[in-house]
Every structure is written in C-alpha cells, then in structure tokens.
Amino acid sequence: KVEGMAVSESGEGSGGPGPVLTTSAGGGGGDSVSKHLDQRQWRVRELIDSENDYVADLGQCCQYIHFMKSSKDEESAEIAMPEDLKQGKDRMIFGNLEMIYEWHRDYFSKKLAQCLTSPSDLGTLFKKSERKFQMYVVYCQNKPKSEHIVSEYIDTYFEEIRLKHGFKLRLTDLLIKPIQRLTKYHMLLEAILKHSQRANLTEEVKNLEMAFQVMTVVPNQANDMMDIGRLQGFEGKIVAQGKLLMRGPLLCTDEPNQAPNFKMKEMTVFLFEQIIIFAETVGKKTQFTSPVYTYVAHIQVNKMHMDERLDFDGESRMFRLKSTDPSRPGLVYLCQAEDTAGRDRWTGCLRRQLQTQMDFLRALQAPIAYHNRMSQQQTT
C-alpha cells in the first residue's frame, strides 16, 4: 500500500533541503551569487525535465485505460478482463487520472517550460493553477480503493497488460506517480526559492513564495484525503461534508455518565465543516501499510452543542459534544486530548465552526437583519 505524504512549511518530510527562510540573503560576494543563480537554474531545468517524464508516465497509465476499455466486452479478448472488474471496479482504479494527464499534457507542462528563462513566473503559474491542483486531492481520496482493487490482479491481469505494451514500471508504480509528483514540486520549489533568496532576487522570491505555499497546502490536503479514503462504513457522502478542518486521535467515550471511572477508547476523529465523525482505528501506519478507519458515529455540526470546560476535568484536557438532533437523542461524546493545548485546538476549531453554522442559519432566517448587523460590525 501507499504511504501518505507529509509536507510541512519547513519542508520536513518532503525530502527537501530543510527550512527555507533560515539563510540570510547574499552570503559572500559575486561568486556566491553566481553559484546560487546556477543552482537555481539547474533546479528549474530539473523541474521542467521531470515534468516531461511525469507526463510520459501518466500517458502509460492512460494506455492501460484505453486498452481495458476497448477489450472489456470482447468475447475473445487477447487479455480477458476479470469479471469482478467489469462491474465498475475498472473505473475506480484510475479515478480522475485521465483528467490530470490531459491538463498536464496540454497546458501545465507547456507553461512550465516557458519558465526556464523566467523562473519568477513559476509563482504566477502555480497560483493560477491552484484550483486545478485540487484534482490531486480528488485522486488521493480514491487512492485507497484503487490500491485494494489493483492488489488483487497485479501479478495476473495487469502484469499481462504491462508485458504486452513493454512497460518498464508496474501499474502500482505508475499509479503512485501523481502523489510523488506533488512532493517533487514541493522539494524543487523549496530549492529554487532558497537559491533565489541567496542570490538577492527580492521580487522573484515574493513570486516563488506563492508557488511554494500552494505546493505546501495541496500535498497536505491530498494526504488528508487519502486518510479519509480509508474510512469505512460511513453511509453518507464524504465529499458533501465540506472541507476537512481537523483530524487526529482523541480518547473518547459515548458513556459520559460513568464519571469519574470513564472507559475511554482512542478513536480517530474527523471534523468537517458539516459533520464530526468518530472512527475506530484498525492497524498501524508502517512503511508499507496505513491504518483503516471504521465508522462508529457522527454528529452534524448544525445539530451539536459543545461544553468546552467540564467541572470534573482537573487536567483541562476534556470537552463534551452533544447531538441536539431529535432523531438521535442521547448521543453524547466525551473527548480527551493529549494535553490542554490539544484540547484548545479542537474546541477553538469547533467553536468557530459552530459560530459559522449559527451565522448561516441567522442569514437564512432573517437576511436583512443579518446583513445590517454585519455591516455595523465592519464599520466599528
């Protein structure tokens, strides 16, 4: 299985050369500036050359797609598709990869090539492409399902297709390319930014920081979506729950009346704009595997009450969430974070989202009064 990405603003976990903003500009005369300009140009060239290789790899994936489509219903197909895949699983394997391929082939790779002589334009290009890069977030949400399906036939059906086309890489190696590409963008943009800073290219640095920020946010979003893709048993549509605001482990119990002898259990909690989901974690993250999350319960944010402070919580680590949905009476979760700071992060995010939902409800119920109140707040 594919291990997720971890990209931080410092570049840790991305394979990058470390924090970007720790070295003072300049650093020692014309020779040093010239050296950093050369290094910057080398990294820009690597970005463009590796983009062409990436497009070629995506093209091989699309050859799988086209071969599978054309041979799917052939009675005497040279390589017969397993019946199990014909029921729709074949489409789940690639997700939206074909859309990603066409965008890179027809637009992004060409625009990127133009940045060879003007690296400063990388900032504008990546910033303008920010919405398009959300295709990767969608791709990563589907990735866990894809992994499971491909693993069943990687040594049989997909190996036969690989050998027929003479591909060097197996399908599993090709399907991970989009995830690796996000990390590569982050690493190379970090290096280009660093050398531009050390060469005192002030204006270029401002532009490159935009590109670097995009390629810090998108990989983290994609990593979040791969985790969400491993959530099993939730019958609603995850994509309809809004943006993922927080996720992480909390000690939880849905039997809060047992104070002070709570039977707390570690759960993975996902807070979206519209809903909070409680799930049990099955398995642990290793170099080759990732945990699966089994759905247990959820509370809709617009039907939720939160108690941020609890009298019996001497360590200030707990908070309580209650469902106010008449159809789900008595649904209460007591949650405990690792420390007070962790509790405050959760309650702060929950408080803001509860307020957002309340404001939205007021706007629907009395739009004119809500608009007047907001206008008064903005002028004071």
Side-chain angles (χ1 to χ4, degrees):
K1 291 187 177 181
V2 180
E3 189 174 8
M5 298 163 288
V7 178
S8 67
E9 292 213 10
S10 66
E12 294 174 4
S14 68
V20 178
L21 304 176
T22 57
T23 304
S24 59
D31 289 344
S32 178
V33 169
S34 177
K35 182 186 74 173
H36 287 301
L37 287 173
D38 288 343
Q39 286 288 327
R40 179 200 62 157
Q41 199 63 19
W42 184 76
R43 293 291 191 177
V44 173
R45 168 59 73 183
E46 184 182 355
L47 182 63
I48 294 168
D49 289 346
S50 60
E51 179 76 9
N52 295 331
D53 293 338
Y54 174 56
V55 170
D57 287 333
L58 293 183
Q60 288 192 4
C61 280
C62 290
Q63 285 184 256
Y64 273 93
I65 295 172
H66 299 152
F67 177 82
M68 291 167 66
K69 279 181 179 178
S70 63
S71 61
K72 181 175 181 177
D73 298 320
E74 287 183 13
E75 291 186 11
S76 57
E78 180 184 351
I79 303 173
M81 179 183 290
E83 288 298 322
D84 182 45
L85 295 181
K86 291 182 178 180
Q87 309 307 314
K89 286 186 177 180
D90 55 326
R91 293 192 299 274
M92 294 173 65
I93 291 168
F94 300 95
N96 63 340
L97 188 140
E98 200 165 9
M99 291 174 60
I100 293 174
Y101 167 63
E102 290 172 356
W103 179 66
H104 279 270
R105 180 196 63 192
D106 299 338
Y107 175 80
F108 193 75
S109 62
K110 295 175 181 177
K111 292 293 184 181
L112 199 61
Q114 294 172 10
C115 294
L116 181 63
T117 54
S118 55
S120 180
D121 291 342
L122 286 168
T124 305
L125 174 59
F126 276 86
K127 188 63 180 176
K128 282 185 175 179
S129 303
E130 189 170 12
R131 289 184 67 84
K132 282 291 187 180
F133 275 114
Q134 290 300 307
M135 290 191 293
Y136 283 82
V137 179
V138 175
Y139 179 80
C140 287
Q141 185 184 358
N142 181 69
K143 191 71 176 67
K145 297 185 184 75
S146 170
E147 289 171 19
H148 178 71
I149 297 168
V150 172
S151 66
E152 295 184 50
Y153 302 103
I154 189 60
D155 294 321
T156 52
Y157 177 61
F158 295 118
E159 181 65 4
E160 289 185 59
I161 297 176
R162 183 185 75 84
L163 293 172
K164 172 180 171 57
H165 287 86
F167 295 152
K168 182 179 179 181
L169 297 177
R170 305 181 87 191
L171 181 58
T172 47
D173 298 322
L174 290 171
L175 290 174
I176 198 177
K177 289 292 181 179
I179 298 167
Q180 293 173 334
R181 189 60 186 163
L182 291 182
T183 306
K184 186 80 169 178
Y185 285 139
H186 182 272
M187 180 186 75
L188 290 175
L189 287 170
E190 185 176 45
I192 295 166
L193 176 56
K194 178 184 72 175
H195 291 299
S196 296
Q197 286 173 322
R198 293 178 179 176
N200 297 317
L201 301 174
T202 308
E203 286 303 314
E204 182 172 304
V205 165
K206 290 180 182 178
N207 289 329
L208 289 172
E209 282 174 342
M210 289 195 302
F212 180 69
Q213 179 61 22
V214 170
M215 278 301 114
T216 297
V217 171
V218 173
N220 283 330
Q221 290 176 330
N223 194 41
D224 285 342
M225 293 311 290
M226 278 197 290
D227 252 5
I228 294 167
R230 295 186 177 92
L231 176 64
Q232 300 178 349
F234 177 65
E235 294 183 357
K237 287 188 176 182
I238 284 291
V239 293
Q241 307 310 323
K243 186 188 300 182
L244 179 66
L245 303 176
M246 282 192 74
R247 63 167 177 138
L250 289 171
L251 291 176
C252 303
T253 179
D254 58 354
E255 298 177 347
N257 297 323
Q258 297 176 337
N261 301 314
F262 298 115
K263 294 181 180 178
M264 309 290 278
K265 183 175 184 179
E266 182 171 307
M267 305 185 84
T268 298
V269 182
F270 299 89
L271 173 61
F272 295 86
E273 290 175 310
Q274 307 294 338
I275 200 172
I276 187 166
I277 294 175
F278 299 87
E280 291 183 358
T281 307
V282 181
K284 293 185 177 181
K285 188 168 187 174
T286 69
Q287 185 179 355
F288 302 106
T289 63
S290 295
V292 170
Y293 307 104
T294 303
Y295 166 82
V296 175
H298 73 271
I299 301 175
Q300 288 179 262
V301 174
N302 64 350
K303 297 178 181 178
M304 180 171 70
H305 171 78
M306 176 175 65
D307 295 314
E308 295 190 39
R309 305 283 188 272
L310 303 173
D311 294 338
F312 51 78
D313 178 23
E315 296 180 338
S316 299
R317 295 193 292 155
M318 303 175 106
F319 60 96
R320 181 166 47 214
L321 299 175
K322 300 178 183 177
S323 172
T324 59
D325 188 342
S327 67
R328 313 187 77 192
L331 180 57
V332 181
Y333 265 90
L334 198 65
C335 305
Q336 178 176 296
E338 186 176 1
D339 51 32
T340 302
R343 190 273 311 270
D344 291 345
R345 281 192 296 273
W346 276 98
T347 56
C349 190
L350 281 159
R351 188 190 323 116
R352 289 189 295 273
Q353 196 54 27
L354 284 166
Q355 185 63 51
T356 299
Q357 291 283 352
M358 192 176 298
D359 289 344
F360 180 67
L361 183 61
R362 286 172 180 162
L364 287 176
Q365 292 173 337
I368 296 175
Y370 176 77
H371 175 75
N372 291 339
R373 185 166 63 86
M374 293 302 293
S375 297
Q376 289 174 358
Q377 287 179 359
Q378 290 171 4
T379 56
T380 56

